[in-house]
Amino acid sequence: MKEWWVQVGLLSVPLLAVYLHIPPPKLSPALLSWRSSGGYFTYKDQNIFYRDSYGAVGSSDIVVLLHGFPTSSYDWCKIWEGLTQRFHRVIALDFVGFGFSDKPRPHRYSIFEQASIVEGLVRHLGLHHQRINLLSHDYGDTVAQELLHRSLQPLMLWLLFTEVASGRCRFHFGLVAQVYIALRAISRLCNTWRHRLPCNNRFLFSILQYINQRKKHRDRWVGALMSTSVPLHLIYGPLDPVNPHPEFLQLYKKVLPMSTVSVLDDHISHYPQLEDPTGFLNAYLNFINSF
């Protein structure tokens, strides 16, 4: 009798082949509305989706939102309206390879390219001489760190939350958790997002290279945080499996003692802007309004 795992493997192959040929699900009304309220700009022949909403009258403040892995700008949907009540403009994009933006294959996806795309969007919107607030999450945190390293002129206030960096500034088991969550998310990518993020092992591996990039460029990106005079703020969910409590918070405060911190309720995890939009928004606005 063959080993059980061989039998499972033999059965899984045809099932997976059938699954990958199932027509992709239709977009939900919420996603259709999100896409229709946005637009595209071109970066090196790549179509990049973004949303740009005008909000508070009398305010000149601008906030740019940088999403995480493996999702998209839709991560900010629950706090979008709240942000428009405080900021003159609220802007978010889908990084190349994510959401409604192009997903070229083969392609060398990198944090450096994503940072250049953000710079391109800022120029496209004519905001490269204005002060900009950055609100980032997960994958977007590293993009924000690269922008900080480049000393992007509009970058004056920056909120960093849920992840700080990689390499020695992160716990090894935290990095393992990141990989686990990424792999666990494949089923979601192949289901609700499969029509926009094709389920291709080589494509996924290319996207996941950001984990190695974090380790390789640790000194560049963590150093940018440690040496900047830009105000930093962390909004933290204590139940975050990627950055376990209390070790992560202790390390963060040790490495970045100049940063302020907001800790949300004990049941909040890795997506605080979705799990506790009111608490998250209040924490962020309290930080912004302190200047």
Side-chain angles (χ1 to χ4, degrees):
M1 181 177 179
K2 295 182 179 179
E3 296 289 345
W4 67 268
W5 55 268
V6 174
Q7 298 180 40
V8 171
L10 292 174
L11 179 63
S12 299
V13 171
L15 290 177
L16 181 61
V18 171
Y19 175 78
L20 292 178
H21 287 83
I22 296 175
K26 294 182 179 180
L27 290 177
S28 68
L31 280 173
L32 286 171
S33 175
W34 188 265
R35 184 176 64 180
S36 65
S37 62
Y40 292 84
F41 83 102
T42 302
Y43 176 83
K44 294 185 177 180
D45 297 325
Q46 299 165 2
N47 294 315
I48 304 299
F49 175 83
Y50 72 96
R51 285 194 66 184
D52 178 12
S53 295
Y54 285 82
V57 177
S59 171
S60 60
D61 291 344
I62 301 165
V63 61
V64 174
L65 315 176
L66 307 179
H67 70 81
F69 176 94
T71 47
S72 71
S73 58
Y74 191 68
D75 281 356
W76 308 106
C77 64
K78 290 188 176 181
I79 64 168
W80 193 269
E81 183 177 354
L83 290 173
T84 61
Q85 294 175 10
R86 169 58 178 81
F87 291 93
H88 173 58
R89 289 175 78 171
V90 180
I91 300 163
L93 77 160
D94 290 349
F95 293 125
V96 64
F98 296 81
F100 294 116
S101 292
D102 282 351
K103 301 163 190 65
R105 292 180 294 170
H107 188 76
R108 290 181 175 269
Y109 291 91
S110 75
I111 295 297
F112 299 101
E113 178 186 39
Q114 306 290 19
S116 295
I117 289 173
V118 176
E119 291 178 320
L121 176 59
V122 168
R123 288 191 299 270
H124 173 75
L125 298 176
L127 302 175
H128 48 292
H129 295 306
Q130 297 191 41
R131 186 177 73 174
I132 290 178
N133 305 282
L134 281 185
L135 176 56
S136 65
H137 172 229
D138 189 81
Y139 182 95
D141 291 345
T142 312
V143 178
Q145 286 172 260
E146 171 58 22
L147 291 171
L148 190 63
H149 177 82
R150 297 180 188 186
S151 299
L152 184 64
Q153 292 302 313
L155 179 59
M156 297 299 291
L157 299 177
W158 174 33
L159 168 68
L160 165 72
F161 77 96
T162 72
E163 283 191 84
V164 71
S166 60
R168 287 171 291 171
C169 194
R170 282 175 55 90
F171 298 100
H172 291 297
F173 58 82
L175 188 58
V176 171
Q178 174 81 27
V179 176
Y180 170 73
I181 288 175
L183 294 177
R184 187 178 63 182
I186 292 177
S187 61
R188 175 169 55 175
L189 294 174
C190 295
N191 186 8
T192 58
W193 292 84
R194 185 161 56 86
H195 58 293
R196 286 185 284 145
L197 186 51
C199 207
N200 177 283
N201 289 338
R202 186 172 297 178
F203 173 81
L204 185 63
F205 178 79
S206 182
I207 289 285
L208 285 172
Q209 285 304 300
Y210 80 92
I211 296 175
N212 292 331
Q213 292 165 18
R214 281 176 166 178
K215 182 177 181 180
K216 180 178 180 180
H217 302 288
R218 182 264 177 192
D219 290 342
R220 176 188 182 98
W221 291 332
V222 177
L225 292 176
M226 297 174 68
S227 60
T228 186
S229 59
V230 171
L232 304 175
H233 189 71
L234 168 74
I235 300 179
Y236 180 62
L239 203 59
D240 188 348
V242 180
N243 303 285
H245 184 272
E247 294 87 355
F248 170 77
L249 200 56
Q250 294 169 350
L251 180 59
Y252 181 89
K253 291 179 178 179
K254 179 180 178 180
V255 175
L256 300 172
M258 66 291 198
S259 173
T260 52
V261 175
S262 295
V263 179
L264 301 178
D265 292 343
D266 290 344
H267 66 282
I268 304 304
S269 182
H270 190 66
Y271 280 85
Q273 76 276 39
L274 294 175
E275 299 170 51
D276 183 13
T278 300
F280 176 86
L281 186 62
N282 288 338
Y284 179 55
L285 295 183
N286 286 338
F287 167 64
I288 290 296
N289 294 334
S290 66
F291 297 94

